[in-house]
Amino acid sequence: MKREAFFERVRQAARAGQAHRAHVRTGLPDSVGYVGGGADLCCRLAEEVVGVGGTAVVVESLEAARVALAELLDNLQPTSALCWRHPLLEQLELTELLAAHNVEPFDFERLAGLEASARRRAILAAGIGITSVAAAIAETGTLVMAAEPGRERVASLLPPVHVAIVAESQILPDLFDLFASLDHANSSVGRVKQRADAPTVETSVAGVSSASLRWPLARDADRGDQRTELPSNLVLITGPSKTGDIELQLTTGVHGPGKVLVLVIRGR
Amino acid sequence: MKSNDYQRHEHHAFLDASALALSDNGLQQILGRLGDTLGARNRAAFGEFTESDLTRERARAVKDDTLAHLDEHLATLADNFERLGGHVHFCSDGDEARQAILGILAKHGARRVVKSKSMTTEEIHLNEALAQASVEAVETDFGEYIIQVAGHRPSHIVGPALHLSAADVAEVLSPVAGRPLSSDRTELAAFAREKLRQEFARADAGITGVNFAVAETGTLVIVSNEGNARLTTALPPLHIAIMGMEKVIPRLADVPVFLKVLARAATGQKLSVYTSLITGPAREGELDGPRESHLVILDNGRSRILGGPLRESLFCIRCGACLNACPIYRSVGGHSYGGVYAGPIGAVLTPLYDGLAANKHLPHASSLCGACQAACPVKIAIPEMLVKLREQLHEQPGELGRVEAWAYKAWARLMRSPRLFNLATWLSTRLLGRFVPNGWLRRLPGGLRGWTDTRDFPAPAPERFRDWWRREGQA
């Protein structure tokens, strides 16, 4: 009853407001504001990550990525790590790498086995978070994380250092491409049209589905239902945690990780 | 530290509060930097964005279209949010919203709450209600945390503690730390990180605002730069989000347009550091995230605005760009505006939400220069709305004195008649313009003295432009 009254009031107001519609430009295409990521998405992603205060390395092979990650662990010497369960991390043999560096890994199996308070202590104490991504956006230097069992929200959030391993095939040119791929998975709305000036690399708009098929962003919520749902939590991360709250001066690492390191693997 | 109590809770008349702010040297120094920092970053970010103008137009068109069918979009949003297992509460005013939130917390026996920056919770004075119900609520946005400890009101939409220097912040936080903190920003931020981590870890519930709510998917979009909104929605078992009902947008495809203009307008970033898209509570098997989600959708006067001539004020996405651009805000600061929302948009919203008569100075706290509209990511015609509010104000009986009412009438008559206007300008140049040394009047007589109390009045030129043009312009 209360809800009906609420809706009735809004309905009447919306109708009365028709007399006060604003002057707007109509008929602008959905793709207005599309920028794109240039010809080399790996380099562009790395440049933009550095531009927003992160660190990024582009490597040419899995082997080179493993070496870079080993170096990183040597430098940082964390005692424990929060890790995603992800095919790319398995290919990197992350578990073995962590063991070789005496880093205690807290992945899904390990965390799920802990009782709640012990789990809380473990996630709060971790010195590093190691994840892959659901996608990355070259134009803005953005990492996209999609929550699911094995890909915890906290891995990219609680530790002071977040390391993300990104394969070239996961990189999208523009923010618009990400939402087009979500829409595609959600299949109810039209997609961003291919722009004449957009680069014709494999991962630009037309190639979005390849990334989303490989690591689906949206999953079937209910097998009987045709609909697919977005993940319960999808977060776009653009650089290390920042605040300008004291005298408008930039300070990093106030809540989220103060260091964001991105390893981009070309050709994968 | 400053003892100026305009920073605290009570509502101050604009004139008194702005006079205090103008005599506060520390505040003036901070406000003086605003245009060169946030303001300049905003302009640069839009300058580098090729289709910035069209993108803003697009965002604007989406807002206008959404509001035209707001009831339908809200119904879709509620259906989808509930389908995902969330609970939706429609609240007509602040009291209903406070009761709804207190009810949810009571049902869960929640005593400790972490809050992520939300102007809407400020609007309904939630913190006071929580305190009365013995619920301990901690603000987790660094700026909000500082002013919560200090007992101040926010002075800027995106930088609530903007009015405090680093030394002030150190003074505010040292008693909490139990040791003297230096005014080093990194040390202060590190203290807040550590202190607030404990609060996050033990909180029973997280309360956040909402930047955008996507109707077709039931998704809440929450933007932050620090990461506190993520922590608030990752660690506590219960999430309560509150949104003004105008925050709904129909489609997922509309989100990137708004994210692109919001980040640029607010802080000059291409994208804010963290954008969370939250679609329902945590799913089965997930180890973190809230197990229960509530969405409070607030009217609180918005439907009244929606059906009226100031409907466009509901386009506002709370970026703060108009504050940084405004020469008045940059002189008098946020607390002078009295309400929750400061600056040009506050001068529109506060009279609309809290009453025009009680805030009669706000529509006049503008030079109508248009910098706010130029900076706005959805191009809200703020100057036009301020003029409309002035008109409404002057239509209220008893609002104007007899002399002032007569003066406005005479002025209107003068401006409508070319012959009278011609005569009046001729008289003013002959009578005033030619006898005033150096072009400034130091003191005006009678009721006009208020103007010259704090500044000189520019005298009319000795010669009218039309006379000059007749003589020189045609050569």
Side-chain angles (χ1 to χ4, degrees):
Chain A
M1 188 58 216
K2 194 182 128 203
R3 191 176 284 202
E4 270 92 74
F6 188 100
F7 274 112
E8 188 49 39
R9 188 173 60 237
V10 177
R11 192 175 302 123
Q12 281 176 13
R15 206 172 295 148
Q18 296 280 2
H20 305 284
R21 291 287 289 261
H23 298 287
V24 296
R25 282 179 68 162
T26 52
L28 290 170
D30 274 1
S31 59
V32 157
Y34 187 95
V35 179
D40 186 341
L41 294 181
C42 291
C43 282
R44 181 66 187 273
L45 176 67
E47 281 166 20
E48 295 293 334
V49 167
V50 171
V52 292
T55 309
V57 186
V58 181
V59 294
E60 306 292 329
S61 66
L62 267 179
E63 191 45 50
R66 204 174 294 130
V67 172
L69 194 54
E71 236 170 72
L72 197 80
L73 293 172
D74 278 337
N75 287 336
L76 295 170
Q77 303 203 320
T79 51
S80 68
L82 296 179
C83 308
W84 267 15
R85 191 167 61 180
H86 193 281
L88 193 57
L89 301 181
E90 277 161 28
Q91 288 162 24
L92 266 178
E93 293 163 0
L94 179 65
T95 318
E96 292 79 357
L97 201 60
L98 290 173
H101 286 81
N102 295 318
V103 184
E104 192 179 3
F106 286 96
D107 57 5
F108 178 78
E109 278 71 24
R110 186 73 199 284
L111 288 172
L114 292 174
E115 168 269 324
S117 65
R119 185 191 300 161
R120 180 138 299 192
R121 271 198 304 280
I123 60 174
L124 285 169
I128 191 169
I130 304 175
T131 71
S132 181
V133 294
I137 302 165
E139 195 259 329
T140 50
T142 301
L143 309 168
V144 184
M145 307 279 146
E148 64 175 274
R151 298 181 192 168
E152 279 63 49
R153 295 161 176 77
V154 291
S156 60
L157 177 60
L158 292 179
V161 182
H162 173 210
V163 180
I165 319 288
V166 180
E168 184 174 359
S169 61
Q170 295 175 310
I171 308 176
L172 303 170
D174 193 286
L175 186 65
F176 277 95
D177 298 306
L178 173 72
F179 282 85
S181 82
L182 296 174
D183 258 355
H184 177 68
N186 216 32
S187 73
S188 58
V189 190
R191 304 174 52 196
V192 176
K193 279 203 219 68
Q194 174 85 46
R195 305 246 312 199
D197 57 346
T200 50
V201 291
E202 199 220 284
T203 41
S204 90
V205 184
V208 160
S209 54
S210 74
S212 59
L213 282 177
R214 223 164 138 189
W215 289 295
L217 289 172
R219 293 167 296 139
D220 292 318
D222 175 357
R223 282 185 185 81
D225 194 347
Q226 285 302 299
R227 260 187 100 100
T228 52
E229 301 290 0
L230 291 177
S232 59
N233 188 287
L234 194 72
V235 60
L236 283 54
I237 302 176
T238 309
S241 159
K242 293 186 182 74
T243 183
D245 274 340
I246 300 183
E247 297 182 348
L248 298 163
Q249 303 292 310
L250 186 72
T251 313
T252 53
V254 68
H255 282 300
K259 286 201 174 90
V260 172
L261 303 122
V262 181
L263 259 176
V264 186
I265 309 176
R266 202 188 280 281
R268 294 207 65 94
Chain B
M1 194 175 60
K2 292 178 283 287
S3 61
N4 297 344
D5 55 343
Y6 62 88
Q7 296 167 347
R8 297 181 192 280
H9 292 288
E10 65 267 41
H11 187 103
H12 277 253
F14 181 82
L15 294 182
D16 294 342
S18 59
L20 264 174
L22 284 167
S23 62
D24 182 336
N25 286 332
L27 179 66
Q28 289 301 315
Q29 268 182 14
I30 293 167
L31 290 171
R33 286 196 293 265
L34 194 55
D36 304 328
T37 51
L38 279 179
R41 271 182 241 154
N42 166 336
R43 287 192 299 277
F46 275 111
E48 286 163 12
F49 185 25
T50 328
E51 290 183 330
S52 68
D53 193 63
L54 285 179
T55 311
R56 289 157 68 199
E57 286 288 351
R58 172 116 184 91
R60 187 176 158 75
V62 171
K63 279 285 180 189
D64 185 58
D65 194 50
T66 308
L67 290 179
H69 309 281
L70 187 61
D71 53 318
E72 294 161 33
H73 297 306
L74 287 175
T76 310
L77 173 66
D79 284 350
N80 283 320
F81 197 82
E82 284 167 348
R83 184 175 47 77
L84 293 157
H87 306 267
V88 180
H89 310 260
F90 284 96
C91 299
S92 298
D93 55 29
D95 191 47
E96 280 185 24
R98 287 190 299 270
Q99 293 314 319
I101 292 170
L102 289 176
I104 301 161
L105 294 173
K107 201 181 121 213
H108 286 260
R111 311 248 44 106
R112 294 174 190 280
V113 167
V114 278
K115 282 185 69 205
S116 173
K117 190 172 156 36
S118 152
M119 296 305 287
T120 315
T121 60
E122 299 274 355
E123 183 187 317
I124 65 166
H125 303 291
L126 181 64
N127 285 1
E128 290 86 336
L130 292 173
Q132 272 175 18
S134 307
V135 175
E136 192 187 308
V138 180
E139 294 286 352
T140 60
D141 172 84
F142 188 27
E144 288 282 348
Y145 176 67
I146 295 165
I147 61 166
Q148 186 186 30
V149 174
H152 292 180
R153 290 185 290 113
S155 63
H156 189 286
I157 293 177
V158 299
L162 191 105
H163 56 284
L164 298 175
S165 68
D168 292 337
V169 174
E171 206 181 313
V172 168
L173 296 184
S174 290
V176 186
R179 62 188 160 94
L181 294 169
S182 84
S183 59
D184 176 64
R185 295 192 314 272
T186 315
E187 186 188 326
L188 292 167
F191 165 72
R193 177 188 170 97
E194 192 190 334
K195 169 81 184 145
L196 291 171
R197 268 299 162 93
Q198 299 162 14
E199 302 291 349
F200 282 118
R202 64 183 187 173
D204 304 315
I207 298 180
T208 69
V210 173
N211 290 92
F212 311 100
V214 184
E216 68 171 357
T217 56
T219 301
L220 308 180
V221 184
I222 306 175
V223 175
S224 87
N225 275 318
E226 298 179 1
N228 58 314
R230 290 184 68 197
L231 286 159
T232 308
T233 56
L235 296 181
L238 173 65
H239 176 209
I240 304 172
I242 176 165
M243 61 180 263
M245 65 181 191
E246 81 281 16
K247 291 289 172 75
V248 65
I249 54 176
R251 309 179 307 154
L252 205 54
D254 298 323
V255 176
V257 172
F258 283 101
L259 292 180
K260 286 192 178 202
V261 295
L262 172 63
R264 285 175 169 87
T267 46
Q269 292 161 289
K270 278 198 212 170
L271 207 53
S272 305
V273 177
Y274 302 113
T275 303
S276 295
L277 290 99
I278 298 172
T279 308
R283 310 258 163 88
E284 203 184 319
E286 291 179 8
L287 295 180
D288 50 12
R291 278 178 286 291
E292 191 173 313
S293 303
H294 292 260
L295 177 61
V296 176
I297 301 179
L298 181 71
D299 184 328
N300 204 28
R302 287 167 173 79
S303 54
R304 190 164 34 78
I305 299 168
L306 175 61
L310 299 173
R311 174 182 182 271
E312 201 180 319
S313 63
L314 295 172
F315 289 14
C316 177
I317 58 173
R318 309 285 190 261
C319 70
C322 60
L323 282 63
N324 308 332
C326 179
I328 310 295
Y329 178 90
R330 284 187 282 146
S331 301
V332 303
H335 292 128
S336 300
Y337 291 81
V340 171
Y341 303 104
I345 193 66
V348 175
L349 295 178
T350 303
L352 285 176
Y353 289 139
D354 299 347
L356 185 55
N359 294 285
K360 61 179 184 178
H361 289 294
L362 293 186
H364 291 281
S366 167
S367 61
L368 304 179
C369 71
C372 47
Q373 187 173 0
C376 178
V378 283
K379 296 185 164 187
I380 299 176
I382 296 176
E384 206 181 305
M385 289 194 286
L386 290 171
V387 171
K388 279 182 186 157
L389 282 172
R390 291 180 189 185
E391 282 170 11
Q392 284 179 20
L393 192 61
H394 293 169
E395 282 159 11
Q396 293 182 3
E399 189 46 53
L400 292 177
R402 275 192 18 229
V403 176
E404 206 179 348
W406 177 84
Y408 279 125
K409 277 210 182 85
W411 180 261
R413 178 81 190 85
L414 195 72
M415 298 303 282
R416 274 200 298 265
S417 156
R419 281 177 58 198
L420 274 178
F421 181 79
N422 197 10
L423 177 69
T425 53
W426 187 85
L427 276 173
S428 67
T429 51
R430 294 305 185 280
L431 293 179
L432 278 171
R434 299 201 171 166
F435 300 101
V436 177
N438 71 33
W440 293 94
L441 290 163
R442 301 290 300 278
R443 187 168 302 164
L444 289 173
L448 301 172
R449 193 172 297 144
W451 176 282
T452 47
D453 274 352
T454 49
R455 57 218 185 288
D456 295 343
F457 186 83
E463 186 180 24
R464 297 181 303 178
F465 176 76
R466 62 168 67 196
D467 298 329
W468 178 88
W469 179 255
R470 201 169 289 142
R471 196 178 72 241
E472 303 279 343
Q474 288 158 2

